[in-house]
Amino acid sequence: MFNFKKILALSILLPMSIMVKAEEIGYVDTVFKFFGANHKIVIEAFDDPEVKNVTCYLSRAKTGGISGSLGLAEDTADAAISCQQVGPIELSEKVLKGKNRGDVVFQKRTSLVFKKLQVVRFYDKNRHALIYLTYSDKVIDGSPKNAISAVPIMPWKE
């Protein structure tokens, strides 16, 4: 049976279980808002916690205005991702034994409760590459908007 309290608790606690923090690199304003912050595109960077020397850069929409400034607005599902090898790659056992459904490596809340932006990693053993997928989901209705980035695992040359 549908249990609203359990879904609410999970939607609040699940993003806290993934401790990867993104560092804001910068932003551009896209729409001027007379009251509150402007609408923006924010660029953030985070390191994959299970793959040493892979950094992902994520651009995402951030809603401004009064509701956005108070953290009450819902951001759109628009995002893009680019992941790069920044040193010799070291894969953890978790990555090597990866599952077909991928492993969540990053989440960010994009509404007060029910919506989040996620980055999921897949390991393509046949092509020796890592694939990162970003998408937005809601408890009830997600979005098909998505973006991917592939990182070939190659010997590092300095």
Side-chain angles (χ1 to χ4, degrees), residues 12 36 56 58 99 104 113 115 118-119 128 134 142 145 149 155:
I12 292 170
C56 292
L58 185 66
K99 50 190 175 187
V104 176
V113 178
K115 188 176 180 183
Q118 298 193 71
V119 176
H128 208 50
T134 184
K145 292 183 181 180
S149 180

Side-chain angles (χ1 to χ4, degrees), residues 8-146:
L8 179 61
L10 282 174
S11 65
I12 292 170
L13 295 176
L14 186 58
M16 293 178 205
S17 66
I18 297 174
M19 298 311 239
V20 174
K21 298 286 185 195
E23 171 189 350
E24 186 175 306
I25 302 299
Y27 66 89
V28 294
D29 292 331
T30 57
V31 175
F32 173 77
K33 301 302 276 181
F34 193 69
F35 295 106
N38 294 336
H39 293 327
K40 300 174 183 174
I41 297 173
V42 178
I43 301 170
E44 299 171 316
F46 67 91
D47 297 323
D48 187 325
E50 295 290 331
V51 180
K52 186 175 180 186
N53 291 315
V54 170
T55 298
C56 292
Y57 297 91
L58 185 66
S59 67
R60 63 181 183 87
K62 184 163 176 67
T63 304
I66 294 172
S67 60
S69 297
L70 296 173
L72 303 174
E74 183 174 301
D75 295 336
T76 66
D78 301 307
I81 190 166
S82 177
C83 299
Q84 309 296 319
Q85 178 178 2
V86 295
I89 291 179
E90 295 177 26
L91 302 177
S92 70
E93 282 298 315
K94 181 179 179 183
V95 175
L96 292 171
K97 295 178 181 177
K99 50 190 175 187
N100 279 355
R101 295 188 54 107
D103 291 311
V104 176
V105 295
F106 178 80
Q107 286 184 340
K108 182 149 212 127
R109 182 179 59 83
T110 55
S111 75
L112 185 59
V113 178
F114 296 109
K115 188 176 180 183
K116 62 187 172 299
L117 179 70
Q118 298 193 71
V119 176
V120 179
R121 176 199 342 95
F122 298 86
Y123 176 46
D124 182 347
K125 293 176 187 170
N126 295 336
R127 292 162 194 84
H128 208 50
L130 297 165
I131 296 87
Y132 293 85
L133 167 71
T134 184
Y135 68 99
S136 183
D137 69 357
K138 286 184 181 180
V139 172
I140 305 299
D141 182 31
S143 170
K145 292 183 181 180
N146 64 83

